[in-house]
Amino acid sequence: MTLGRRAATIVVVRALWPLLLLLSVTPLGCALILSYDDYVPAGTGGGGSGGASASSSSSSGASSSSSASSSSSSGNVKNCENGLLDPGEQGIDCGDVCNKPCPDCGPTGAAFVAAPDITIGHGADFIKITDYNGDTFPDIVVSSIASSAITAVDGLGNGTFAFLNDGFYQGAGHFTIGSFDTNPALDMAMVVPSQMAIGLLMNGGFAKGEAFTLMSVMAQPNAVVSGKFTSDDVIDIAWSAPGSPILNVLQGSGNGSFATAVSIIFAPTAKPSGLLAADLTGDGLSEIVVSDLDKNKIYVVALSPLLSIIPHDVGGGPSFMASGDFNGDGAGDVAVSSNSSTGITVILSAGSAMGAVSITSFGSTSTALLATADFNGDNVLDLVASGADNVVQVLIGVGDGSFSPGPVLVMPAGLVAVDAADVNGDGKPDVVAVSGNADVIKVFLNQCP
């Protein structure tokens, strides 16, 4: 019996020898792939190797881009050099499982790798990521003032995209997306300064190539936001015009039409440079935040239950803003970019007159658009900011309202617009950016944590 057990032991050891050898060479910290169920092919969760080009005439032929992260590595043990897994596909044909090093997430715990460029044929000034066509996958919508174009590309849920629609709307620029009626399809409102109007595209009309409906206004609008500003539970629209101290609110009816504007003088001689709609007080209603280029202030305007206007001092040349709870106290905070300094100002508890100020240094000569997400999975909100030096800077939240430098992503020349969302379905927010002088959308896939 002793001899039998010894022989059986020898057989088992011999059978397991290849597995033990593989364990001995597997990099520390990497997950050993024992079955295809644990395997994530390239192009889904760990950096795309394929993607569809989006332009006004074609949906194929996307050009390949190079890696654009100062801290990203060559790959992940769960990646493979060849092959793509389509959403819902059961079998995987990807050759041998690769044994690459784990990604170097660095001290900040964040790293990105560039996916193939999405060619759109024109530069862009503004970007928004949302599920515009209702297929549950994030889509990318960009606008170009110079080209009078608004372009959308359809996210396929795995980090690749296909052409959705390229609409040419004369003079169209900044836009907002929301649900302005009872139809579940999303609607779009855009500024049309050349016609002193706000343009409406209802019920996914942009994706269908429909023309917009114009609502005449009393000035040339340059910024527009939407949200529930009053207690009637209906989406309203707010807009501002350059050089005008008036904030205009178009009150929604719930059926896609809007009442006469309510005009609010938020500060004499103010020069609004940006708008933000966000619930800063936790009451379920959005406040409207106006940045004032002339006074170096932002104004938090609440319409309900009573009209209130709270000013906050910020850095020089305030422009774009983003909101979130940056210090974990449950109150809404506002981050403000600057077009004339190297700092990002964060107003903590911005919905209160006692809001505190935190300033984070930024490496660029100025900042433009901002977006928020938890890029390194530590349950603290981070920022991503575009700069005048053709860079996108990821800023890692410390948890007290301040930020530390993260990866730097290089962009083509021109003012950069940026947004963040999980575009490849791996549960990690990615960065998407466009440039005013380049005809591509850049997608940077998050490799960590």
Side-chain angles (χ1 to χ4, degrees):
M1 294 299 293
T2 303
L3 179 60
R5 281 195 294 268
R6 180 176 300 175
T9 301
I10 294 173
V11 171
V12 171
V13 170
R14 287 180 175 177
L16 292 178
W17 175 248
L19 178 59
L20 296 174
L21 180 62
L22 180 59
L23 280 170
S24 68
V25 300
T26 300
L28 184 63
C30 290
L32 177 65
I33 301 173
L34 298 178
S35 70
Y36 279 135
D37 292 336
D38 297 322
Y39 168 66
V40 181
T44 56
S49 63
S53 170
S55 68
S56 58
S57 60
S58 174
S59 60
S60 62
S63 60
S64 176
S65 65
S66 61
S67 176
S69 170
S70 61
S71 61
S72 63
S73 71
S74 60
N76 184 316
V77 72
K78 291 187 179 181
N79 286 349
C80 192
E81 292 178 342
N82 303 299
L84 279 173
L85 177 65
D86 294 330
E89 187 178 21
Q90 298 300 315
I92 300 175
D93 181 14
C94 196
D96 294 333
V97 173
C98 302
N99 186 23
K100 296 181 179 180
C102 291
D104 179 11
C105 297
T108 64
F112 298 81
V113 63
D117 290 347
I118 306 169
T119 303
I120 57 176
H122 59 76
D125 310 291
F126 186 67
I127 183 170
K128 189 71 175 177
I129 304 176
T130 187
D131 178 18
Y132 190 69
N133 61 350
D135 63 358
T136 73
F137 299 134
D139 309 313
I140 304 172
V141 185
V142 302
S143 65
S144 170
I145 298 175
S147 302
S148 295
I150 296 182
T151 300
V153 291
D154 181 20
L156 303 182
N158 63 352
T160 63
F161 298 83
F163 173 73
L164 182 59
N165 190 38
D166 200 359
F168 293 92
Y169 302 97
Q170 186 63 43
H174 191 265
F175 62 87
T176 182
I177 294 175
S179 182
F180 305 145
D181 58 13
T182 57
N183 190 308
L186 289 178
D187 312 310
M188 178 186 291
M190 70 192 80
V191 299
V192 190
S194 62
Q195 301 189 48
M196 294 179 63
I198 300 292
L200 289 179
L201 283 165
M202 301 298 297
N203 304 328
F206 172 67
K208 306 169 188 175
E210 297 177 358
F212 56 56
T213 300
L214 290 177
M215 295 188 299
S216 297
V217 294
M218 299 302 293
Q220 293 181 318
N222 70 332
V224 61
V225 292
S226 58
K228 294 181 180 180
F229 303 136
T230 62
S231 58
D232 61 2
D233 201 36
V234 173
I235 299 293
D236 309 308
I237 292 174
W239 62 273
S240 64
S244 170
I246 300 175
L247 175 65
N248 303 275
V249 179
L250 301 171
Q251 295 181 304
S253 63
N255 62 5
S257 63
F258 294 85
T260 303
V262 175
S263 298
I264 303 166
I265 299 178
F266 57 89
T269 71
K271 295 181 179 179
S273 50
L275 292 179
L276 170 71
D279 180 6
L280 302 177
T281 59
D283 63 356
L285 300 178
S286 293
E287 284 75 40
I288 307 166
V289 188
V290 188
S291 57
D292 184 352
L293 191 64
D294 184 56
K295 300 282 194 309
N296 294 334
K297 293 179 179 290
I298 65 169
Y299 303 90
V300 178
V301 180
L303 272 65
S304 184
L306 297 173
L307 174 65
S308 67
I309 302 174
I310 301 175
H312 296 286
D313 293 320
V314 295
S319 52
F320 294 98
M321 299 167 287
S323 65
D325 182 5
F326 300 126
N327 62 348
D329 65 353
D333 312 316
V334 175
V336 187
S337 67
S338 167
N339 64 10
S340 62
S341 72
T342 59
I344 294 174
T345 302
V346 175
I347 305 296
L348 301 174
S349 301
S352 166
M354 303 300 292
V357 177
S358 171
I359 298 179
T360 293
S361 179
F362 183 70
S364 176
T365 55
S366 65
T367 56
L369 266 74
L370 303 171
T372 62
D374 179 10
F375 293 113
N376 60 352
D378 63 355
N379 296 318
V380 176
L381 270 182
D382 310 312
L383 281 173
V384 57
S386 59
D389 300 335
N390 307 326
V391 299
V392 171
Q393 172 77 66
V394 176
L395 298 166
I396 302 301
V398 176
D400 60 359
S402 63
F403 300 83
S404 61
V408 175
L409 312 175
V410 180
M411 287 291 296
L415 179 66
V416 176
V418 65
D419 203 358
D422 177 14
V423 300
N424 61 350
D426 64 355
K428 298 176 289 190
D430 309 301
V431 174
V432 182
V434 290
S435 172
N437 295 338
D439 62 353
V440 296
I441 298 174
K442 302 283 289 188
V443 178
F444 301 97
L445 297 175
N446 192 346
Q447 302 296 288
C448 303

